[in-house]
Amino acid sequence: MEPAFDWKRTFEQIAPQLVLYARQLVDSKADAEDVVQLAFVRWWRRFPDGDHNHIPLLYAAVRTIALDQRRSDHRRVNREAKSDLVVADENAPTFDPLPEQKETAAIVEQALQALPEDQREVVTLKLWGDLTFNEIAALTGSSINTIAGRYRYAIQALHRRLGHLRADLLGESTSPAINILPFSPPTEAIS
């Protein structure tokens, strides 16, 4: 008999990428987490035996729920604005970095947020969601050429915006290491 699908482990593995994707579509991290939880419940109800081949459908569910929630939130904000209620804006970061990565995460997040929404969505799905262009095209209802173009333009824009910071972001040294040893480096000694 085949073992039962491990929903808890699957959730632990996929949820962080889904939250990051949902965070691109909704206003707060809490909303993104709610969207992901609701998407998992829908996925579980539709495929109770579980199947890793249906993970792209999970991304589609996250997208649909997030867009529905965003429309609902915008309608609510408009209603509240008309009634002179002040709605607090949440500026929580998209990424949840380790303490030593906060500065880098803020720089990357700012560059990502500067992209047009359609390009940001494709980059998030491709890099953090690990979806193929075919899966992203099916999810968004766009052609694969459109998706590939959005991805290419987004990567070019990110490179332009972050290229000068590459060495710092990746922790690479921009200057050659100084030889402080009294003998030549191994590559010179072999020649």
Side-chain angles (χ1 to χ4, degrees):
M1 184 170 159
E2 198 172 305
F5 189 77
D6 190 351
W7 285 100
K8 183 177 180 181
R9 184 166 181 240
T10 302
F11 181 82
E12 288 170 355
Q13 289 175 345
I14 299 172
Q17 293 98 340
L18 291 171
V19 169
L20 179 63
Y21 174 53
R23 184 66 180 94
Q24 305 304 311
L25 302 170
V26 296
D27 294 329
S28 71
K29 185 176 180 186
D31 288 344
E33 290 169 346
D34 290 345
V35 165
V36 169
Q37 184 175 13
L38 186 55
F40 257 94
V41 169
R42 286 185 183 177
W43 189 39
W44 173 71
R45 285 182 179 155
R46 186 160 182 204
F47 305 105
D49 295 331
D51 186 349
H52 286 287
N53 293 328
H54 294 128
I55 289 176
L57 294 176
L58 186 57
Y59 277 93
V62 166
R63 182 175 195 262
T64 300
I65 294 165
L67 293 176
D68 287 347
Q69 181 174 333
R70 186 169 65 180
R71 279 190 294 271
S72 174
D73 287 348
H74 286 296
R75 285 191 302 266
R76 179 184 47 79
V77 168
N78 288 337
R79 280 192 314 270
E80 290 174 354
K82 289 178 184 175
S83 64
D84 296 324
L85 292 176
V86 177
V87 177
D89 182 30
E90 183 177 341
N91 292 319
T94 301
F95 298 103
D96 192 12
L98 298 172
E100 63 271 12
Q101 297 173 331
K102 285 193 184 286
E103 184 179 343
T104 302
I107 293 168
V108 172
E109 180 179 356
Q110 184 179 16
L112 192 61
Q113 291 300 326
L115 294 174
E117 185 177 338
D118 56 351
Q119 291 178 12
R120 186 173 58 239
E121 179 181 25
V122 171
V123 167
T124 304
L125 288 170
K126 180 72 176 150
L127 297 180
W128 287 281
D130 203 29
L131 296 181
T132 66
F133 287 148
N134 282 332
E135 292 168 337
I136 297 169
L139 171 72
T140 61
S142 301
S143 74
I144 192 167
N145 290 334
T146 299
I147 296 303
R150 288 176 184 167
Y151 181 77
R152 184 178 67 250
Y153 292 135
I155 296 299
Q156 288 171 349
L158 290 171
H159 182 72
R160 280 192 305 274
R161 190 168 179 109
L162 300 173
H164 67 286
L165 300 172
R166 185 175 194 270
D168 291 336
L169 291 173
L170 297 176
E172 298 172 349
S173 174
T174 54
S175 60
I178 299 171
N179 184 12
I180 59 171
L181 301 173
F183 47 86
S184 61
T187 55
E188 293 176 11
I190 295 174
S191 307

